[in-house]
Amino acid sequence: MLSAASRPYIDASVPVLREHGLAITRHFYASMFEAHPELRNLFNMGNQASGAQQQSLASAVFAYAANIDNAAALAPVLERIVHKHVSVGITPAHYPIVGRYLLAAIKAVLGDAATSELIAAWDEAYWLLAGELIAAEARLSEQSRAPLGALRELVVADVDRETEHVVSYYLRTPEGGSPGEFAPGQYVSVAVTLPDGLQQRRQYSLSDAPEAPHWRITVKREEANASKPEGMVSNWLHANVKAGDRILVGPAYGEFTLPQDSARPLVLLSAGVGITPMMSMVAALAAKGSRREVLFAHAGRNGSHVALRRHLAFAKTQLPNLRTVTFFEAPLSTDREGIDYTHAGRMDLSRLSLPADADYLMCGPSAFMQTQWRALRDAGVSAGRMRREVFGPDALDHLL
């Protein structure tokens, strides 16, 4: 628990972090990478280049300060961080480095406003949080029976092009078997060494049922645009990996998993490549012959951009209570209304017949999930019934 002496300084930091948080995190990353260039292999340098990681950390620090006495609000966020840290290989040895450069960044940006009392308060708060994360990460690593950041070679048994920009990779052990158990909705880390020698890991959701004799990841090739560079790892995978190759893959992690209460209806809301963890859940239900009521609503640009369509169609033949609804923002002339898609335009929950007392899971671009979260909230759905999977940095808007 934060000491009484430090609490006023943390409380007073909230408006300061709102104003200067991004400048602090930019300074933090720049100075840390200059002193420890080896950490570039641990952090997502694509998100660094786009500024997304700096914004995410600023949001996280602000959310922590604003909710330091609200354990219920912080718990799911911390659980997500724990799974991500274990997946990418954050160890206890990294925490002193991060703490040192984060506090130094606060001092550098705030100048005289960063009094010794304020810095001492944040030093205390940081190590309270670090202690929680270190302990939770050790527990999770023990549960998974794998060291922090563990990787192993898996064989790419098959490569299936889903769309122009999306490819599925089927992974097996060198002996030809399934790489192991996982919970539907979880992800794995894939590690590659890029041509410039930079080592990078990216997390990809498993998109098939745990009962399958393989792991399947479905990877979208991220193209560059005005706000971000092209995806380093996704482009490398698309260009270089073929059937028969071996790649380094970590254990399955992630807290965004299939709710186990089979009596409660399930609503899956996805957009773009966010369909991947949802497909794992539906495939798992199909493998068990579930009679659970499921509404699967997906948003895509058009038929040429929707992955895993035939797998969803097969699952529908196995699940009598699965209802699918598809929104195409800009249908092609070859897309057939009522067959390839249900509604033209962006996803609009008012056009869905939502089951009562359901669990709602969301996955897709941040703006998509924020829109659906607000729509569900306005419709009277409690936050405890809503969960979302985040690809990349999370702005934590629901805590602010």
Side-chain angles (χ1 to χ4, degrees):
M1 180 180 293
L2 191 67
S3 68
S6 293
R7 188 172 303 277
Y9 293 98
I10 299 300
D11 292 342
S13 298
V14 171
V16 176
L17 291 173
R18 186 191 295 273
E19 181 179 358
H20 299 289
L22 187 55
I24 291 170
T25 56
R26 284 174 174 164
H27 188 286
F28 156 72
Y29 280 118
S31 58
M32 184 176 69
F33 288 143
E34 182 178 4
H36 293 274
E38 74 279 3
L39 293 182
R40 288 165 47 87
N41 292 324
L42 194 64
F43 286 81
N44 184 323
M45 299 311 294
N47 288 333
Q48 289 290 321
S50 70
Q53 190 67 62
Q54 296 90 325
Q55 182 63 61
S56 176
L57 180 58
S59 178
V61 173
F62 174 44
Y64 179 58
N67 293 275
I68 200 163
D69 290 321
N70 188 353
L74 289 174
V77 178
L78 296 184
E79 184 182 10
R80 183 184 309 151
I81 292 171
V82 165
H83 279 262
K84 181 60 71 69
H85 279 187
V86 174
S87 176
V88 302
I90 299 292
T91 71
H94 292 120
Y95 281 92
I97 299 172
V98 170
R100 182 185 318 131
Y101 288 97
L102 182 59
L103 292 177
I106 293 174
K107 291 177 68 173
V109 172
L110 299 187
D112 292 342
T115 63
S116 59
E117 293 83 1
L118 178 69
I119 296 300
W122 267 105
D123 183 62
E124 180 185 343
Y126 173 80
W127 281 108
L128 283 173
L129 175 60
E132 288 186 48
L133 293 175
I134 290 169
E137 288 155 16
R139 291 192 296 269
L140 181 58
S141 178
E142 184 176 357
Q143 290 168 11
S144 67
R145 300 187 296 277
L148 295 168
L151 295 167
R152 58 175 165 160
E153 275 195 343
L154 294 181
V155 176
V156 180
D158 195 13
V159 177
D160 185 12
R161 180 162 294 280
E162 302 280 350
T163 73
E164 179 184 357
H165 297 96
V166 179
V167 170
S168 285
Y169 300 93
Y170 290 77
L171 308 176
R172 294 179 182 259
T173 65
E175 296 75 30
S178 167
E181 297 179 355
F182 63 92
Q186 289 191 311
Y187 57 78
V188 295
S189 279
V190 175
V192 305
T193 300
L194 300 172
D196 62 0
L198 181 68
Q199 298 173 0
Q200 290 281 273
R201 297 191 190 202
R202 295 294 184 270
Q203 288 71 48
Y204 298 108
S205 294
L206 293 158
S207 62
D208 208 345
E211 292 80 5
H214 52 252
W215 282 359
R216 183 177 68 205
I217 57 173
T218 303
V219 180
K220 178 185 177 185
R221 178 169 58 84
E222 297 292 347
E223 298 182 304
N225 59 36
S227 62
K228 64 180 180 67
E230 70 176 23
M232 297 178 183
V233 177
S234 64
N235 277 269
W236 188 91
L237 291 171
H238 275 235
N240 295 283
V241 175
K242 60 187 183 301
D245 288 346
R246 298 191 178 202
I247 58 174
L248 292 173
V249 183
Y253 291 109
E255 84 297 343
F256 182 81
T257 55
L258 178 66
Q260 294 303 304
D261 185 354
S262 60
R264 192 183 302 281
L266 185 63
V267 178
L268 307 176
L269 306 175
S270 61
V273 77
I275 197 172
T276 53
M278 310 307 200
M279 193 60 241
S280 176
M281 296 179 191
V282 169
L285 293 172
K288 291 181 168 60
S290 173
R291 301 190 68 83
R292 188 173 190 172
E293 181 182 0
V294 180
L295 170 59
F296 191 112
H298 181 70
R301 188 178 307 170
N302 52 54
S304 70
H305 285 78
V306 180
L308 303 168
R309 295 176 75 176
R310 72 180 187 278
H311 302 289
L312 179 58
F314 175 77
K316 198 170 181 179
T317 68
Q318 308 298 304
L319 295 170
N321 296 318
L322 170 63
R323 179 163 53 99
T324 61
V325 180
T326 306
F327 294 81
F328 280 179
E329 184 174 355
L332 300 172
S333 60
T334 52
D335 290 328
R336 299 159 297 172
E337 186 174 3
I339 299 175
D340 296 310
Y341 68 98
T342 315
H343 302 292
R346 296 187 176 185
M347 185 178 289
D348 179 355
L349 296 190
S350 69
R351 307 188 75 174
L352 301 178
S353 176
L354 298 175
D357 198 28
D359 286 321
Y360 291 83
L361 278 68
M362 290 164 269
C363 187
S366 179
F368 165 82
M369 291 193 292
Q370 290 171 15
T371 297
Q372 308 316 319
W373 187 285
R374 287 193 294 267
L376 291 171
R377 181 195 60 198
D378 294 345
V381 178
S382 68
R385 287 276 177 263
M386 296 186 284
R387 297 170 58 199
R388 62 182 189 170
E389 174 65 306
V390 179
F391 291 164
D394 184 7
L396 307 178
D397 298 314
H398 58 297
L399 288 184
L400 305 183

